[in-house]
PDB file of all heavy atoms in Angstrom:
ATOM      1  N   LYS M 825       0.850  -1.178   0.000  1.00 56.00           N
ATOM      2  CA  LYS M 825       0.000   0.000   0.000  1.00 56.00           C
ATOM      3  C   LYS M 825       0.888   1.230   0.000  1.00 56.00           C
ATOM      4  O   LYS M 825       1.843   1.324   0.771  1.00 56.00           O
ATOM      5  CB  LYS M 825      -0.913   0.028   1.234  1.00 56.00           C
ATOM      6  CG  LYS M 825      -1.798  -1.205   1.373  1.00 56.00           C
ATOM      7  CD  LYS M 825      -2.806  -1.305   0.248  1.00 56.00           C
ATOM      8  CE  LYS M 825      -3.721  -2.523   0.439  1.00 56.00           C
ATOM      9  NZ  LYS M 825      -4.642  -2.690  -0.694  1.00 56.00           N
ATOM     10  N   THR M 826       0.573   2.173  -0.868  1.00 53.00           N
ATOM     11  CA  THR M 826       1.314   3.431  -0.898  1.00 53.00           C
ATOM     12  C   THR M 826       0.369   4.544  -0.510  1.00 53.00           C
ATOM     13  O   THR M 826      -0.808   4.545  -0.879  1.00 53.00           O
ATOM     14  CB  THR M 826       1.886   3.708  -2.294  1.00 53.00           C
ATOM     15  OG1 THR M 826       0.830   3.683  -3.255  1.00 53.00           O
ATOM     16  CG2 THR M 826       2.914   2.657  -2.658  1.00 53.00           C
ATOM     17  N   SER M 827       0.884   5.486   0.259  1.00 48.00           N
ATOM     18  CA  SER M 827       0.051   6.592   0.735  1.00 48.00           C
ATOM     19  C   SER M 827      -0.034   7.667  -0.315  1.00 48.00           C
ATOM     20  O   SER M 827       0.916   7.936  -1.041  1.00 48.00           O
ATOM     21  CB  SER M 827       0.652   7.177   2.012  1.00 48.00           C
ATOM     22  OG  SER M 827       1.963   7.637   1.778  1.00 48.00           O
ATOM     23  N   GLY M 828      -1.208   8.294  -0.398  1.00 43.00           N
ATOM     24  CA  GLY M 828      -1.365   9.410  -1.317  1.00 43.00           C
ATOM     25  C   GLY M 828      -1.811   8.951  -2.681  1.00 43.00           C
ATOM     26  O   GLY M 828      -1.532   7.851  -3.139  1.00 43.00           O
ATOM     27  N   ALA M 829      -2.560   9.830  -3.363  1.00 41.00           N
ATOM     28  CA  ALA M 829      -3.014   9.529  -4.709  1.00 41.00           C
ATOM     29  C   ALA M 829      -1.855   9.637  -5.667  1.00 41.00           C
ATOM     30  O   ALA M 829      -1.006  10.491  -5.563  1.00 41.00           O
ATOM     31  CB  ALA M 829      -4.133  10.491  -5.114  1.00 41.00           C
ATOM     32  N   GLN M 830      -1.847   8.722  -6.624  1.00 48.00           N
ATOM     33  CA  GLN M 830      -0.793   8.737  -7.623  1.00 48.00           C
ATOM     34  C   GLN M 830      -1.198   9.635  -8.780  1.00 48.00           C
ATOM     35  O   GLN M 830      -2.208   9.413  -9.427  1.00 48.00           O
ATOM     36  CB  GLN M 830      -0.538   7.311  -8.138  1.00 48.00           C
ATOM     37  CG  GLN M 830       0.020   6.378  -7.089  1.00 48.00           C
ATOM     38  CD  GLN M 830       1.423   6.760  -6.679  1.00 48.00           C
ATOM     39  OE1 GLN M 830       2.247   7.175  -7.477  1.00 48.00           O
ATOM     40  NE2 GLN M 830       1.696   6.649  -5.392  1.00 48.00           N
ATOM     41  N   GLU M 831      -0.393  10.664  -9.018  1.00 46.00           N
ATOM     42  CA  GLU M 831      -0.643  11.554 -10.144  1.00 46.00           C
ATOM     43  C   GLU M 831       0.149  11.024 -11.324  1.00 46.00           C
ATOM     44  O   GLU M 831       1.284  11.393 -11.571  1.00 46.00           O
ATOM     45  CB  GLU M 831      -0.215  12.984  -9.805  1.00 46.00           C
ATOM     46  CG  GLU M 831      -0.975  13.590  -8.644  1.00 46.00           C
ATOM     47  CD  GLU M 831      -0.437  14.958  -8.300  1.00 46.00           C
ATOM     48  OE1 GLU M 831       0.409  15.469  -9.045  1.00 46.00           O
ATOM     49  OE2 GLU M 831      -0.865  15.513  -7.281  1.00 46.00           O
ATOM     50  N   GLY M 832      -0.456  10.107 -12.089  1.00 50.00           N
ATOM     51  CA  GLY M 832       0.248   9.515 -13.199  1.00 50.00           C
ATOM     52  C   GLY M 832       0.866   8.187 -12.774  1.00 50.00           C
ATOM     53  O   GLY M 832       0.493   7.587 -11.781  1.00 50.00           O
ATOM     54  N   THR M 833       1.830   7.713 -13.544  1.00 71.00           N
ATOM     55  CA  THR M 833       2.450   6.435 -13.285  1.00 71.00           C
ATOM     56  C   THR M 833       3.834   6.633 -12.698  1.00 71.00           C
ATOM     57  O   THR M 833       4.429   7.706 -12.813  1.00 71.00           O
ATOM     58  CB  THR M 833       2.562   5.637 -14.592  1.00 71.00           C
ATOM     59  OG1 THR M 833       3.523   6.302 -15.449  1.00 71.00           O
ATOM     60  CG2 THR M 833       1.214   5.574 -15.300  1.00 71.00           C
ATOM     61  N   PRO M 834       4.402   5.573 -12.068  1.00 75.00           N
ATOM     62  CA  PRO M 834       5.775   5.686 -11.569  1.00 75.00           C
ATOM     63  C   PRO M 834       6.771   5.999 -12.674  1.00 75.00           C
ATOM     64  O   PRO M 834       7.795   6.635 -12.429  1.00 75.00           O
ATOM     65  CB  PRO M 834       6.027   4.296 -10.958  1.00 75.00           C
ATOM     66  CG  PRO M 834       4.680   3.763 -10.623  1.00 75.00           C
ATOM     67  CD  PRO M 834       3.769   4.308 -11.682  1.00 75.00           C
ATOM     68  N   PHE M 835       6.459   5.556 -13.902  1.00 75.00           N
ATOM     69  CA  PHE M 835       7.381   5.812 -15.008  1.00 75.00           C
ATOM     70  C   PHE M 835       7.343   7.286 -15.405  1.00 75.00           C
ATOM     71  O   PHE M 835       8.355   7.864 -15.798  1.00 75.00           O
ATOM     72  CB  PHE M 835       7.036   4.914 -16.190  1.00 75.00           C
ATOM     73  CG  PHE M 835       6.878   3.473 -15.784  1.00 75.00           C
ATOM     74  CD1 PHE M 835       5.637   2.864 -15.818  1.00 75.00           C
ATOM     75  CD2 PHE M 835       7.966   2.755 -15.316  1.00 75.00           C
ATOM     76  CE1 PHE M 835       5.492   1.551 -15.416  1.00 75.00           C
ATOM     77  CE2 PHE M 835       7.830   1.445 -14.907  1.00 75.00           C
ATOM     78  CZ  PHE M 835       6.594   0.839 -14.957  1.00 75.00           C
ATOM     79  N   THR M 836       6.178   7.913 -15.293  1.00 78.00           N
ATOM     80  CA  THR M 836       6.089   9.354 -15.498  1.00 78.00           C
ATOM     81  C   THR M 836       6.903  10.081 -14.433  1.00 78.00           C
ATOM     82  O   THR M 836       7.586  11.075 -14.728  1.00 78.00           O
ATOM     83  CB  THR M 836       4.623   9.809 -15.435  1.00 78.00           C
ATOM     84  OG1 THR M 836       3.863   9.085 -16.406  1.00 78.00           O
ATOM     85  CG2 THR M 836       4.508  11.304 -15.721  1.00 78.00           C
ATOM     86  N   ASP M 837       6.854   9.583 -13.209  1.00 81.00           N
ATOM     87  CA  ASP M 837       7.649  10.187 -12.135  1.00 81.00           C
ATOM     88  C   ASP M 837       9.142  10.061 -12.416  1.00 81.00           C
ATOM     89  O   ASP M 837       9.915  11.000 -12.197  1.00 81.00           O
ATOM     90  CB  ASP M 837       7.313   9.525 -10.795  1.00 81.00           C
ATOM     91  CG  ASP M 837       5.932   9.909 -10.286  1.00 81.00           C
ATOM     92  OD1 ASP M 837       5.429  10.966 -10.709  1.00 81.00           O
ATOM     93  OD2 ASP M 837       5.351   9.158  -9.496  1.00 81.00           O
ATOM     94  N   LEU M 838       9.563   8.894 -12.905  1.00 81.00           N
ATOM     95  CA  LEU M 838      10.971   8.715 -13.246  1.00 81.00           C
ATOM     96  C   LEU M 838      11.405   9.698 -14.329  1.00 81.00           C
ATOM     97  O   LEU M 838      12.480  10.298 -14.252  1.00 81.00           O
ATOM     98  CB  LEU M 838      11.220   7.283 -13.731  1.00 81.00           C
ATOM     99  CG  LEU M 838      11.574   6.229 -12.690  1.00 81.00           C
ATOM    100  CD1 LEU M 838      11.753   4.872 -13.343  1.00 81.00           C
ATOM    101  CD2 LEU M 838      12.829   6.600 -11.921  1.00 81.00           C
ATOM    102  N   ARG M 839      10.549   9.857 -15.338  1.00 80.00           N
ATOM    103  CA  ARG M 839      10.888  10.781 -16.417  1.00 80.00           C
ATOM    104  C   ARG M 839      10.889  12.227 -15.925  1.00 80.00           C
ATOM    105  O   ARG M 839      11.695  13.049 -16.392  1.00 80.00           O
ATOM    106  CB  ARG M 839       9.892  10.594 -17.577  1.00 80.00           C
ATOM    107  CG  ARG M 839      10.217  11.399 -18.826  1.00 80.00           C
ATOM    108  CD  ARG M 839      11.635  11.185 -19.302  1.00 80.00           C
ATOM    109  NE  ARG M 839      11.966   9.797 -19.514  1.00 80.00           N
ATOM    110  CZ  ARG M 839      11.783   9.168 -20.672  1.00 80.00           C
ATOM    111  NH1 ARG M 839      11.262   9.821 -21.700  1.00 80.00           N
ATOM    112  NH2 ARG M 839      12.131   7.898 -20.814  1.00 80.00           N
ATOM    113  N   THR M 840      10.022  12.547 -14.980  1.00 81.00           N
ATOM    114  CA  THR M 840      10.019  13.892 -14.396  1.00 81.00           C
ATOM    115  C   THR M 840      11.338  14.184 -13.689  1.00 81.00           C
ATOM    116  O   THR M 840      11.923  15.257 -13.844  1.00 81.00           O
ATOM    117  CB  THR M 840       8.850  14.031 -13.396  1.00 81.00           C
ATOM    118  OG1 THR M 840       7.615  13.872 -14.095  1.00 81.00           O
ATOM    119  CG2 THR M 840       8.866  15.402 -12.724  1.00 81.00           C
ATOM    120  N   VAL M 841      11.826  13.206 -12.910  1.00 82.00           N
ATOM    121  CA  VAL M 841      13.106  13.380 -12.210  1.00 82.00           C
ATOM    122  C   VAL M 841      14.239  13.541 -13.206  1.00 82.00           C
ATOM    123  O   VAL M 841      15.093  14.424 -13.075  1.00 82.00           O
ATOM    124  CB  VAL M 841      13.366  12.181 -11.277  1.00 82.00           C
ATOM    125  CG1 VAL M 841      14.774  12.241 -10.694  1.00 82.00           C
ATOM    126  CG2 VAL M 841      12.337  12.151 -10.153  1.00 82.00           C
ATOM    127  N   ARG M 842      14.242  12.697 -14.224  1.00 80.00           N
ATOM    128  CA  ARG M 842      15.318  12.781 -15.224  1.00 80.00           C
ATOM    129  C   ARG M 842      15.281  14.106 -15.970  1.00 80.00           C
ATOM    130  O   ARG M 842      16.324  14.735 -16.177  1.00 80.00           O
ATOM    131  CB  ARG M 842      15.196  11.625 -16.217  1.00 80.00           C
ATOM    132  CG  ARG M 842      16.205  11.721 -17.354  1.00 80.00           C
ATOM    133  CD  ARG M 842      16.086  10.598 -18.346  1.00 80.00           C
ATOM    134  NE  ARG M 842      16.960  10.812 -19.482  1.00 80.00           N
ATOM    135  CZ  ARG M 842      17.116   9.938 -20.461  1.00 80.00           C
ATOM    136  NH1 ARG M 842      16.465   8.784 -20.452  1.00 80.00           N
ATOM    137  NH2 ARG M 842      17.930  10.204 -21.465  1.00 80.00           N
ATOM    138  N   SER M 843      14.093  14.537 -16.370  1.00 79.00           N
ATOM    139  CA  SER M 843      13.979  15.792 -17.118  1.00 79.00           C
ATOM    140  C   SER M 843      14.452  16.975 -16.276  1.00 79.00           C
ATOM    141  O   SER M 843      15.108  17.888 -16.780  1.00 79.00           O
ATOM    142  CB  SER M 843      12.531  16.010 -17.562  1.00 79.00           C
ATOM    143  OG  SER M 843      12.120  14.972 -18.425  1.00 79.00           O
ATOM    144  N   PHE M 844      14.127  16.946 -14.981  1.00 79.00           N
ATOM    145  CA  PHE M 844      14.551  18.051 -14.117  1.00 79.00           C
ATOM    146  C   PHE M 844      16.072  18.083 -13.975  1.00 79.00           C
ATOM    147  O   PHE M 844      16.696  19.139 -14.050  1.00 79.00           O
ATOM    148  CB  PHE M 844      13.904  17.912 -12.741  1.00 79.00           C
ATOM    149  CG  PHE M 844      14.296  19.003 -11.784  1.00 79.00           C
ATOM    150  CD1 PHE M 844      13.750  20.270 -11.892  1.00 79.00           C
ATOM    151  CD2 PHE M 844      15.217  18.768 -10.781  1.00 79.00           C
ATOM    152  CE1 PHE M 844      14.121  21.292 -11.020  1.00 79.00           C
ATOM    153  CE2 PHE M 844      15.597  19.764  -9.902  1.00 79.00           C
ATOM    154  CZ  PHE M 844      15.040  21.036 -10.032  1.00 79.00           C
ATOM    155  N   LEU M 845      16.670  16.893 -13.780  1.00 77.00           N
ATOM    156  CA  LEU M 845      18.122  16.838 -13.623  1.00 77.00           C
ATOM    157  C   LEU M 845      18.847  17.222 -14.910  1.00 77.00           C
ATOM    158  O   LEU M 845      19.929  17.809 -14.872  1.00 77.00           O
ATOM    159  CB  LEU M 845      18.550  15.433 -13.192  1.00 77.00           C
ATOM    160  CG  LEU M 845      18.158  15.004 -11.779  1.00 77.00           C
ATOM    161  CD1 LEU M 845      18.527  13.557 -11.539  1.00 77.00           C
ATOM    162  CD2 LEU M 845      18.824  15.891 -10.736  1.00 77.00           C
ATOM    163  N   SER M 846      18.228  16.865 -16.056  1.00 75.00           N
ATOM    164  CA  SER M 846      18.887  17.131 -17.336  1.00 75.00           C
ATOM    165  C   SER M 846      18.597  18.522 -17.876  1.00 75.00           C
ATOM    166  O   SER M 846      19.222  18.944 -18.850  1.00 75.00           O
ATOM    167  CB  SER M 846      18.432  16.083 -18.370  1.00 75.00           C
ATOM    168  OG  SER M 846      18.679  14.774 -17.906  1.00 75.00           O
ATOM    169  N   GLY M 847      17.660  19.224 -17.282  1.00 71.00           N
ATOM    170  CA  GLY M 847      17.265  20.534 -17.795  1.00 71.00           C
ATOM    171  C   GLY M 847      18.173  21.658 -17.321  1.00 71.00           C
ATOM    172  O   GLY M 847      19.102  21.452 -16.528  1.00 71.00           O
ATOM    173  N   PRO M 848      17.886  22.860 -17.780  1.00 68.00           N
ATOM    174  CA  PRO M 848      18.755  23.999 -17.455  1.00 68.00           C
ATOM    175  C   PRO M 848      18.446  24.670 -16.117  1.00 68.00           C
ATOM    176  O   PRO M 848      19.164  25.588 -15.713  1.00 68.00           O
ATOM    177  CB  PRO M 848      18.462  24.972 -18.607  1.00 68.00           C
ATOM    178  CG  PRO M 848      17.041  24.685 -18.979  1.00 68.00           C
ATOM    179  CD  PRO M 848      16.835  23.208 -18.746  1.00 68.00           C
ATOM    180  N   THR M 849      17.367  24.235 -15.452  1.00 70.00           N
ATOM    181  CA  THR M 849      16.949  24.962 -14.245  1.00 70.00           C
ATOM    182  C   THR M 849      17.733  24.566 -13.010  1.00 70.00           C
ATOM    183  O   THR M 849      17.955  25.381 -12.115  1.00 70.00           O
ATOM    184  CB  THR M 849      15.455  24.729 -13.979  1.00 70.00           C
ATOM    185  OG1 THR M 849      15.203  23.319 -13.890  1.00 70.00           O
ATOM    186  CG2 THR M 849      14.606  25.305 -15.096  1.00 70.00           C
ATOM    187  N   LEU M 850      18.166  23.296 -12.926  1.00 72.00           N
ATOM    188  CA  LEU M 850      18.868  22.845 -11.727  1.00 72.00           C
ATOM    189  C   LEU M 850      20.168  23.606 -11.482  1.00 72.00           C
ATOM    190  O   LEU M 850      20.464  23.958 -10.335  1.00 72.00           O
ATOM    191  CB  LEU M 850      19.125  21.335 -11.803  1.00 72.00           C
ATOM    192  CG  LEU M 850      19.803  20.718 -10.572  1.00 72.00           C
ATOM    193  CD1 LEU M 850      18.998  20.990  -9.320  1.00 72.00           C
ATOM    194  CD2 LEU M 850      20.006  19.213 -10.766  1.00 72.00           C
TER     195      LEU M 850
END
């Protein structure tokens, strides 16, 4: 059981992390 509603899939979350790390904002 995981707490909290999932906004999308875990794979979307992985891509979000990767995009943030690879982007110019970090």
Side-chain angles (χ1 to χ4, degrees):
K825 303 295 182 184
T826 55
S827 59
Q830 294 292 322
E831 298 176 8
T833 68
F835 311 111
T836 303
D837 288 338
L838 271 179
R839 186 52 54 89
T840 297
V841 172
R842 175 181 174 176
S843 298
F844 179 76
L845 291 175
S846 304
T849 56
L850 183 57

